[in-house]
Amino acid sequence: MIQADLIVEGAAELVTLAGPTGRPRLGAEMRDLGILRQGAVAARRGKIVWVGPTTDLLTAVRPVAFCKVIDATGKTVMPGLVDPHTHLVFAGSRENEFAMRIQGKTYQEIAAGGGGINATVAATRAADKADLKAAARRTLDTMLTLGTTTVEAKSGYGLDLVTEIKMLEVIRELEESGPATVVPTFMGAHEVPPEFRQNPDAYVDLVITRMIPLVASRKLARFCDVFCETGVFSVQQTERIFRAAQAVGLELRVHADELTDLGGAALAARLKARTADHLLHVNDDGIHAMAEAGVIAVLLPGTAYFLHLQRYARARDMIAGGVAVALATDFNPGSCMTESLALVLNLACTQMRMLPAEAITAVTINAAWAIGEQDCVGTLEVGKHADVLILDAPNHEHLCYHFGVNLVESVVKNGKVVAEGGQRLV
Ligand code: NIG
Ligand code: FE
């Protein structure tokens, strides 16, 4: 018999997301959540050891002494959520810009006027590492209570060697102290810092010759990201940075075609980036190229909403065109101040017409693929980490449909209950 130290039983819906492996879910596959009614899941030492109907549990699984048993009668049980695009670490906040946008200023106008990313860069350069870490820890705890158990986190508010490294060290320490899994991305090319405004190419040189080699030699990041955008980094500059990153083993992801159609998606396809993110202005060729190259689209409807962009990414065209779609918060102080993937799910459905099942696939297994964690998280299958949510909801659709509340009742990370009733347990 299989031994277990954690059992969740009697779920009205056990959303396993079991399905084809070897690549992210595409097209109609995104609608198949592998739901088991009256399902149960068992874990031992942090890993899933058994999944099946509750009626088979007693004959298949033997609870060890002190086994934790959670009764999920009438509830939905699903994998922990994966947030594959966040700017987790920063100092300060930018609520002043929120008010300016309400009064009609655009994101680009605010940035040109001394706000934007560089405002957060100034605060982050001045901040102590301990303070940065404490703020990010609070954010991760909030995310955890909202069901997010795995997070990608970018640097990019340092824009100098010392502060970029400081940010990546904070990310590493957060990952080491758990419980959330935190996957690090180097984003030294998030913006041109003020001291290089007159000579952006010299900043690109600095990223390539000093930052990338140090980040790689200290193994501080798994990915390299660039804000490829009119007025920020051109396609040519982005490609130079990406070639240097690839040469030292970093995988690529890119902020692409967010505010203008610059060809970021096509570049991502050409360089076989793992993801292209935002994509509000991507053209048909870009979508086609991403599908051909297997680049995952990470869509961030919270940002379009928060910046009043009056446009959302064409999720339906992407899904129909064979692009794997993932969803993320883009959590950051300027363009999307939310930790809530549930809010993102609601926006994905209402604003991009994704079906609830597609949206849930996009924050679980496809999001796991988007950060290279597909073998560890994103589904409830034997061998994966026991990252499990118990929702106070009779079915998965409620997570998209019932908005503005937290339906996450319990959060299990690596087989341990880490949050309950919206509170982080310590
Ligand atoms: O993904 N687009 C660029 N970077 C962030 C915004 C960061 C900020 O405004 O501080 C984004 O939206
Ligand atoms: Fe971003």
Side-chain angles (χ1 to χ4, degrees):
M1 276 237 282
I2 295 165
Q3 298 201 329
D5 55 23
L6 173 93
I7 292 171
V8 183
E9 60 181 10
E13 279 192 2
L14 188 87
V15 181
T16 70
L17 282 126
T21 53
R23 58 167 172 73
R25 306 289 154 79
L26 302 174
E29 293 165 2
M30 289 188 72
R31 296 188 193 182
D32 183 358
L33 299 182
I35 293 171
L36 268 180
R37 292 185 205 283
Q38 302 308 320
V41 54
R44 178 110 201 264
R45 299 194 176 119
K47 297 271 176 63
I48 296 173
V49 291
W50 185 86
V51 179
T54 302
T55 46
D56 293 354
L57 186 66
L58 279 178
T59 50
V61 176
R62 179 149 44 112
V64 300
F66 306 109
C67 175
K68 169 95 181 161
V69 180
I70 299 177
D71 175 9
T73 302
K75 303 195 165 146
T76 298
V77 174
M78 66 176 295
L81 306 179
V82 179
D83 192 340
H85 180 145
T86 85
H87 303 259
L88 174 71
V89 179
F90 57 84
S93 57
R94 310 223 301 268
E95 60 277 22
N96 56 327
E97 298 179 11
F98 181 70
M100 286 160 85
R101 275 194 303 279
I102 292 167
Q103 292 169 301
K105 281 235 173 18
T106 66
Y107 182 77
Q108 293 98 317
E109 286 166 352
I110 291 167
I117 292 170
N118 273 323
T120 301
V121 168
T124 305
R125 285 178 176 177
D128 277 358
K129 197 170 153 187
D131 292 340
L132 282 178
K133 190 173 161 188
R137 162 63 54 211
R138 276 194 298 279
T139 302
L140 278 178
D141 284 349
T142 303
M143 289 176 164
L144 206 62
T145 63
L146 295 167
T148 302
T149 47
T150 300
V151 180
E152 183 261 12
K154 305 173 198 297
S155 70
Y157 290 119
L159 312 186
D160 62 28
L161 188 67
V162 168
T163 319
E164 285 296 309
I165 297 295
K166 177 170 78 175
M167 291 185 72
L168 290 170
E169 286 173 347
V170 166
I171 292 168
R172 169 171 289 176
E173 289 170 23
L174 291 166
E175 153 68 17
E176 284 168 353
S177 52
T181 304
V182 187
V183 173
T185 295
F186 166 66
M187 198 177 182
H190 191 197
E191 173 60 291
V192 179
E195 61 275 20
F196 283 92
R197 227 333 121 205
Q198 301 316 316
N199 191 2
D201 278 323
Y203 183 65
V204 173
D205 291 341
L206 180 72
V207 169
I208 291 172
T209 61
R210 302 285 311 282
M211 295 186 189
I212 287 176
L214 188 59
V215 168
S217 71
R218 291 193 51 198
K219 297 195 179 350
L220 283 168
R222 214 191 284 178
F223 294 95
C224 176
D225 196 341
V226 174
F227 190 10
C228 181
E229 184 58 66
T230 306
V232 192
F233 296 99
S234 68
V235 170
Q236 289 75 12
Q237 289 169 327
T238 304
E239 178 160 354
R240 281 183 61 210
I241 293 166
F242 277 169
R243 296 228 179 257
Q246 271 180 329
V248 293
L250 295 172
E251 267 198 88
L252 310 180
R253 46 204 322 117
V254 58
H255 283 59
D257 303 326
E258 177 184 2
L259 304 167
T260 57
D261 175 9
L262 203 63
L267 175 71
R270 197 148 49 77
L271 297 188
K272 299 263 186 289
R274 184 167 280 251
T275 72
D277 303 33
H278 287 288
L279 300 169
L280 271 62
H281 291 262
V282 69
N283 59 43
D284 291 342
D285 291 345
I287 292 177
H288 184 69
M290 283 177 64
E292 290 281 297
V295 179
I296 299 168
V298 178
L299 306 183
L300 309 160
T303 308
Y305 168 75
F306 196 73
L307 294 182
H308 322 215
L309 294 178
Q310 318 286 4
R311 174 199 282 253
Y312 287 82
R314 291 153 56 201
R316 288 258 58 92
D317 292 341
M318 293 179 198
I319 293 170
V323 175
V325 171
L327 290 162
T329 58
D330 197 16
F331 173 77
N332 76 78
S335 72
C336 197
M337 188 65 169
T338 186
E339 294 90 342
S340 173
L341 275 172
L343 174 62
V344 169
L345 287 171
N346 178 263
L347 291 171
C349 296
T350 59
Q351 307 304 306
M352 302 197 298
R353 297 182 182 273
M354 288 177 73
L355 290 164
E358 293 171 330
I360 285 173
T361 299
V363 293
T364 52
I365 185 60
N366 276 10
W369 272 98
I371 55 172
E373 287 289 307
Q374 65 280 351
D375 295 333
C376 302
V377 299
T379 67
L380 297 180
E381 289 178 293
V382 172
K384 286 206 175 177
H385 294 209
D387 293 1
V388 186
L389 307 182
I390 293 91
L391 306 182
D392 183 14
N395 58 54
H396 66 277
E397 278 137 315
H398 274 248
L399 191 59
C400 303
Y401 148 78
H402 188 170
F403 75 111
V405 294
N406 185 11
L407 295 178
V408 179
E409 196 172 271
S410 305
V411 181
V412 174
K413 176 68 188 173
N414 292 326
K416 297 263 175 316
V417 181
V418 292
E420 231 163 26
Q423 295 297 314
R424 170 87 167 85
L425 307 177
V426 275

